Amino acid sequence: MEPIYQYAWLIPVLPLAGAMIVGLGLISYNKATNALRQANAVFVVSLVGASMVLSFLLLWSQLQGHEPYTQMFEWAAAGNFHLSMGYTIDHLSSLMLAIVTTITFLVMIYTDGYMAHDPGYVRFYAYLSIFSSSMLGLVISPNLVQIYIFWELVGMASYLLIGFWYDRTAAADACQKAFVTNRVGDFGLLLGILGIYWATDSFDFIVMGDRLTELVESGAIASGLAALFAVLVFLGPVAKSAQFPLHVWLPDAMEGPTPISALIHAATMVAAGVFLIARMYPVFEEIPLAMDVIAWTGCCTAFLGATIAITQNDIKKGLAYSTISQLGYMVMAMGVGAYGAGLFHLMTHAYFKAMLFLCSGSVIHGMEGVVGHDPVLAQDMRLMGGLRKYMPITATTFLIGTLAICGIPPFAGFWSKDEILGSTFAANPAMWVVGWLTAGVTAFYMFRMYFNTFEGKFRGNEIDIRNQLLATANGGKPANAFGPGAMDPKELAHGHDGDNCDHSHGHSEYPHESPLTMTFPLMALAVPSVLIGLVGTPFANYFEEFIHPPSETVAEVLEHAEEFDLTEFLVMGGSSVGIALIGITIASLMYMSRKIDPAAIAQKIQPLYQLSLNKWYFDDINDFLFVKGSRRLARQVLEVDSRVVDGAVNLTGLVTVITGEGLKYFENGRAQFYALIVFVAVLGLVIISGVT
């Protein structure tokens, strides 16, 4: 198997080569390249498929017990400073390679159907290749500097993809928001990297952890300073993995095409933050304050995302806030020391969340035939309902993903979420209560989405509902008849800005199932969404044995596994399933049988309803403090510049002009005048000396 490791560098290089070749074709021979749409797609997908095969071979080799493999070369040297680059293949990187390439491969197949009629079809494939190459490079990076390089490349590619439809104002604003928000976290990450290097003189993860611990224990560095460095590094994952308070960019990222929404939310960009926490675990786990910050940040984010998701009517934004909440679970797990549980949930979530997003794209694709290409109407669940009858494959796979994310056994999400909640209860019962309640809210909003979309009567061809939504966009009040989740009027109006919006009502009376290129990835992802959780059951946790933290040995992991307590498992698992069933029951009473009127509840708890509807007012706060605040600051700086700086410069110029005007009369070239000046000066001196 050794030759496979020697050629592992091809995994990120193959998609990059595809992007370069297709990109050069678009630049040099644009018309000819765009004309060969299918050929370009097959070429790019084949290269990603080759990377996927290599990734699974490496994963299989690591499962068989092959030692981690690292290939390095010196990249830069100056005096005592040496920086090496290369790649490393170990348990964590091989697992992440398999996850990323699998989902990327399926998303690229799906893209052929979803983007079939888009003029930017070939360009989108080129962007997808850059994105996947950047993420794969990040996964195999052996040190913190190389991770940071690919970290920024992932951000750049996401900027291109979120703003793919750049002629739409909403998309242009969304990619800028994502870029700026991530710069905040990335600046903290850069400061943390520099601080840790200053302290440890290394960029290697294990070495950084060991040296930082030794320095703190010896008193050479204050524990508070070490915690500051760790928290600064954690700011990078806070932004990239959309943690509170830098989560605001992720829902707006839904302005990109649905395939990239699935890729960003499932296995790549947002997972990069959790992956970095795992890589930096040797540093974090020895700093209790940093671990507490990580755990509480994840806990608050999980609850925040879930409480906002319950009032979303845009199907993609509902899933976006769901992703924020699930990422909070992963980060919380890392913070309480449940390293394996956090990565296990990352893996299971990657598959079922990718499937859920691709299902939403399938729904949007079907709805566009009824309501036209208006992005607001095609994604609004109030215009859906009864789609299971017309889109059975999409409905079935969406239901599987919903059951998985709700933590219903034996679906994948149950095993990973239950392990996180169990570990959290052992570490901090108060944090467990928040996570447990969030599980119930998750079940409620996910089944609310399922019932509103796939059950009941189809509402997409009802003119009254359409007109009501369009009236909302034009300044009317949202109708509470649809229950909690009426879209924010500002958002609805924003979607109708006239940019790239087709306001026609489509050409079909009812939606239809998507083509095979779109349904095949859904069916393929449904398999791991059901079965992959079985590798991490508490009574036979093969996943934990494989992915154990760097500080633990396999023997320690096996010893913990032997401590399995059936009673504890039944109590903890039963409580998480119980709260999920309560959420599902309430959702069914509100949105399936309609025995409970959600509008009446919304009226009774209007402040809480408005808090959720307005996303806890984070966008408003950010707009007031940072957008308008920076403009006010800029105006003040302009005032200082015009009055003080320009005033000083203008005063200097005025003095120069006046003195110059005066002196020119003394420089007239006449000898008699100069003699007179000398005589007056001498006379003045004589008078002064006489007086004194």
Side-chain angles (χ1 to χ4, degrees):
M1 298 295 285
E2 195 68 26
I4 299 175
Y5 287 86
Q6 294 174 358
Y7 291 101
W9 57 272
L10 285 171
I11 293 174
V13 168
L14 287 174
L16 180 63
M20 288 178 61
I21 293 170
V22 174
L24 288 172
L26 288 171
I27 294 170
S28 305
Y29 307 99
N30 187 276
K31 288 185 178 180
T33 304
N34 278 308
L36 298 171
R37 294 161 64 92
Q38 294 291 331
N40 280 291
V42 170
F43 173 64
V44 169
V45 174
S46 298
L47 291 176
V48 172
S51 293
M52 182 179 69
V53 171
L54 278 173
S55 298
F56 273 97
L57 289 173
L58 291 170
L59 177 61
W60 177 254
S61 175
Q62 289 291 303
L63 286 168
Q64 297 305 305
H66 193 286
E67 289 296 317
Y69 180 91
T70 301
Q71 182 71 42
M72 304 291 287
F73 64 92
E74 189 170 82
W75 189 56
N80 294 327
F81 175 80
H82 294 274
L83 180 61
S84 297
M85 294 291 182
Y87 63 90
T88 186
I89 303 297
D90 58 7
H91 291 186
L92 177 58
S93 60
S94 62
L95 174 70
M96 289 298 296
L97 286 174
I99 295 171
V100 173
T101 53
T102 303
I103 294 178
T104 302
F105 180 72
L106 292 172
V107 166
M108 284 190 171
I109 294 174
Y110 179 94
T111 298
D112 177 65
Y114 190 84
M115 302 288 286
H117 304 292
D118 195 287
Y121 177 94
V122 178
R123 177 168 60 94
F124 190 70
Y125 268 105
Y127 287 173
L128 282 178
S129 294
I130 297 172
F131 189 83
S132 56
S133 174
S134 302
M135 184 62 198
L136 292 169
L138 186 150
V139 164
I140 62 174
S141 295
N143 57 52
L144 200 48
V145 171
Q146 191 169 329
I147 276 187
Y148 186 76
I149 292 170
F150 283 105
W151 187 273
E152 294 301 326
L153 286 173
V154 168
M156 182 273 295
S158 69
Y159 176 84
L160 294 174
L161 285 160
I162 294 169
F164 180 77
W165 288 317
Y166 54 84
D167 56 343
R168 285 177 52 196
T169 304
D173 290 344
C175 67
Q176 291 180 45
K177 187 175 183 179
F179 184 81
V180 172
T181 306
N182 276 275
R183 294 290 67 71
V184 175
D186 293 356
F187 181 64
L189 173 60
L190 179 60
L191 291 178
I193 291 172
L194 295 175
I196 291 178
Y197 179 77
W198 168 79
T200 64
D201 200 33
S202 175
F203 293 114
D204 183 81
F205 306 107
I206 302 295
V207 175
M208 284 189 299
D210 292 341
R211 289 184 184 174
L212 200 60
T213 303
E214 292 172 5
L215 290 168
V216 172
E217 290 176 350
S218 65
I221 288 182
S223 58
L225 186 60
L228 175 63
F229 292 156
V231 171
L232 284 172
V233 170
F234 176 59
L235 275 179
V238 167
K240 202 70 84 184
S241 286
Q243 298 297 289
F244 164 82
L246 299 180
H247 64 281
V248 292
W249 68 271
L250 193 57
D252 288 23
M254 297 302 94
E255 293 297 337
T258 300
I260 193 54
S261 300
L263 209 51
I264 285 177
H265 283 254
T268 53
M269 185 170 175
V270 294
V274 180
F275 171 79
L276 180 58
I277 296 173
R279 276 290 188 225
M280 290 293 293
Y281 214 69
V283 175
F284 290 143
E285 69 176 338
E286 299 299 331
I287 305 174
L289 178 59
M291 294 291 279
D292 288 341
V293 170
I294 293 170
W296 278 108
T297 300
C299 180
C300 294
T301 304
F303 183 73
L304 176 79
T307 54
I308 297 175
I310 60 176
T311 59
Q312 295 301 305
N313 268 335
D314 184 310
I315 189 170
K316 286 177 67 176
K317 286 197 175 182
L319 291 173
Y321 282 107
S322 167
T323 299
I324 292 172
S325 182
Q326 297 304 306
L327 287 167
Y329 273 113
M330 299 174 210
V331 172
M332 180 175 70
M334 291 291 184
V336 299
Y339 176 92
L343 290 174
F344 187 32
H345 196 54
L346 185 153
M347 178 181 72
T348 59
H349 175 264
Y351 288 111
F352 62 68
K353 184 51 66 68
M355 181 177 64
L356 285 168
F357 264 106
L358 296 183
C359 285
S360 73
S362 179
V363 168
I364 294 166
H365 183 266
M367 287 295 295
E368 284 179 344
V370 180
V371 301
H373 296 284
D374 189 313
V376 172
L377 298 181
Q379 295 171 200
D380 196 320
M381 290 184 288
R382 289 170 293 183
L383 285 174
M384 299 176 189
L387 296 187
R388 180 167 55 87
K389 178 180 176 182
Y390 310 105
M391 310 178 73
I393 297 175
T394 302
T396 303
T397 50
F398 194 95
L399 179 60
I400 290 171
T402 300
L403 291 168
I405 198 172
C406 292
I408 303 300
F411 295 90
F414 165 74
W415 305 105
S416 55
K417 188 183 288 188
D418 181 68
E419 189 175 351
I420 290 174
L421 290 175
S423 301
T424 304
F425 182 79
N428 190 318
M431 206 176 291
W432 171 83
V433 170
V434 178
W436 180 72
L437 290 173
T438 301
V441 178
T442 300
F444 171 78
Y445 71 69
M446 285 305 303
F447 268 90
R448 171 182 175 273
M449 291 177 66
Y450 174 78
F451 291 141
N452 277 343
T453 304
F454 295 103
E455 301 297 339
K457 185 180 70 170
F458 180 63
R459 301 178 293 272
N461 49 21
E462 295 183 12
I463 302 300
D464 291 342
I465 297 179
R466 285 193 199 176
N467 292 339
Q468 197 167 17
L469 294 179
L470 291 173
T472 302
N474 294 326
K477 294 181 180 180
N480 282 328
F482 302 105
M487 216 171 275
D488 188 332
K490 291 180 289 185
E491 278 190 23
L492 201 54
H494 196 51
H496 288 262
D497 58 6
D499 295 337
N500 199 31
C501 287
D502 178 7
H503 296 280
S504 66
H505 293 314
H507 52 77
S508 302
E509 188 178 359
Y510 296 102
H512 54 81
E513 187 60 274
S514 300
L516 182 62
T517 51
M518 294 174 67
T519 54
F520 170 74
L522 302 182
M523 294 183 286
L525 288 167
V527 177
S529 298
V530 176
L531 300 176
I532 204 167
L534 298 177
V535 302
T537 59
F539 39 83
N541 201 332
Y542 304 109
F543 184 87
E544 184 79 28
E545 180 182 339
F546 176 70
I547 206 72
H548 59 84
S551 57
E552 292 186 12
T553 63
V554 177
E556 290 175 297
V557 175
L558 292 174
E559 184 181 344
H560 292 314
E562 291 174 0
E563 298 173 357
F564 170 65
D565 187 333
L566 178 61
T567 304
E568 181 184 349
F569 167 70
L570 292 175
V571 170
M572 297 303 298
S575 65
S576 63
V577 173
I579 191 70
L581 292 176
I582 291 172
I584 294 170
T585 302
I586 295 173
S588 65
L589 291 173
M590 284 187 177
Y591 301 102
M592 182 69 173
S593 62
R594 306 287 178 177
K595 291 181 178 179
I596 298 177
D597 183 10
I601 297 175
Q603 289 297 326
K604 290 178 180 178
I605 54 170
Q606 194 65 214
L608 293 176
Y609 172 70
Q610 290 297 326
L611 181 68
S612 174
L613 181 65
N614 290 283
K615 308 163 196 172
W616 287 44
Y617 298 99
F618 275 105
D619 283 333
D620 298 302
I621 293 169
N622 289 336
D623 182 66
F624 178 77
L625 290 179
F626 300 110
V627 178
K628 294 178 180 175
S630 61
R631 288 174 182 168
R632 284 194 295 269
L633 178 63
R635 282 194 291 268
Q636 294 300 319
V637 170
L638 179 63
E639 196 75 13
V640 171
D641 180 69
S642 60
R643 293 182 181 274
V644 179
V645 178
D646 286 354
V649 172
N650 293 338
L651 179 62
T652 303
L654 180 62
V655 170
T656 303
V657 169
I658 292 173
T659 54
E661 284 291 329
L663 289 174
K664 75 178 183 180
Y665 295 106
F666 294 93
E667 298 289 339
N668 54 18
R670 296 179 181 178
Q672 301 93 324
F673 185 73
Y674 296 152
L676 178 62
I677 291 173
V678 172
F679 174 75
V680 171
V682 171
L683 182 61
L685 290 172
V686 170
I687 293 171
I688 292 170
S689 61
V691 172
T692 56

